Amino acid sequence: LQLQASGGGLVQPGGSLRLSCAASGVSNRWPIAWFRQAPGKEREGVSYISFSGGGTYYARSVNGRFTISRDNAKNMVYLQTNSLKPEDTAVYYCAAAQRRLLTSLWALSDEYDYWGQGTLVTVSS
């Protein structure tokens, strides 16, 4: 069971990045979320997608700028990040849960069973 995040990098404010999460060995029926952790801050939930892709949730700080999607045939989950701001700078992680989650719990890291290694996003001019 392995999750591998990629696609991070250095981008100027206002720019975009597409983060990818390869979910090998993870059931495509599992919900997956993106979290991020900035230096000196706690890990926070960024976005969540249900196993079908029909349910998506976003942190208030990224709503309208980020879009989560998944391709179950390829075992991939994506996070399109647009209009990036310096405060979006963080290591981004993807995580999978082995069961359906209550929607009110999607942003709690303890609800997830498997984690990728993270990819660094730096937003700076």
Side-chain angles (χ1 to χ4, degrees), residues 69-90:
S69 62
R70 69 189 296 164
D71 183 339
N72 285 339
K74 296 181 179 180
N75 287 336
M76 295 292 294
V77 175
Y78 306 99
L79 185 69
Q80 179 66 42
T81 67
N82 297 329
S83 302
L84 284 164
K85 305 174 182 180
E87 51 264 43
D88 294 318
T89 295

Side-chain angles (χ1 to χ4, degrees), residues 36-49:
R36 67 185 181 186
Q37 187 165 20
K41 294 188 177 181
E42 294 186 354
R43 188 172 296 185
E44 65 169 340
V46 174
S47 185
Y48 163 97
I49 189 165

Side-chain angles (χ1 to χ4, degrees), residues 9-27:
L10 174 64
V11 62
Q12 292 186 342
S16 300
L17 285 173
R18 188 196 196 200
L19 307 184
S20 299
C21 176
S24 59
V26 174
S27 171

Side-chain angles (χ1 to χ4, degrees), residues 5-124:
S6 62
L10 174 64
V11 62
Q12 292 186 342
S16 300
L17 285 173
R18 188 196 196 200
L19 307 184
S20 299
C21 176
S24 59
V26 174
S27 171
N28 60 16
R29 295 188 63 81
W30 294 355
I32 291 181
W34 285 94
F35 287 76
R36 67 185 181 186
Q37 187 165 20
K41 294 188 177 181
E42 294 186 354
R43 188 172 296 185
E44 65 169 340
V46 174
S47 185
Y48 163 97
I49 189 165
S50 64
F51 73 89
S52 69
T56 58
Y57 300 95
Y58 298 91
R60 187 173 299 180
S61 59
V62 307
N63 194 29
R65 299 187 297 122
F66 291 10
T67 303
I68 192 170
S69 62
R70 69 189 296 164
D71 183 339
N72 285 339
K74 296 181 179 180
N75 287 336
M76 295 292 294
V77 175
Y78 306 99
L79 185 69
Q80 179 66 42
T81 67
N82 297 329
S83 302
L84 284 164
K85 305 174 182 180
E87 51 264 43
D88 294 318
T89 295
V91 178
Y92 284 71
Y93 301 88
C94 55
Q98 287 181 277
R99 63 207 174 281
R100 293 181 66 179
L101 300 183
L102 294 175
T103 55
S104 60
L105 302 180
W106 76 264
L108 298 181
S109 57
D110 287 347
E111 295 294 316
Y112 295 85
D113 304 289
Y114 300 99
W115 291 81
Q117 85 291 358
T119 185
L120 176 62
V121 172
T122 303
V123 185
S124 175

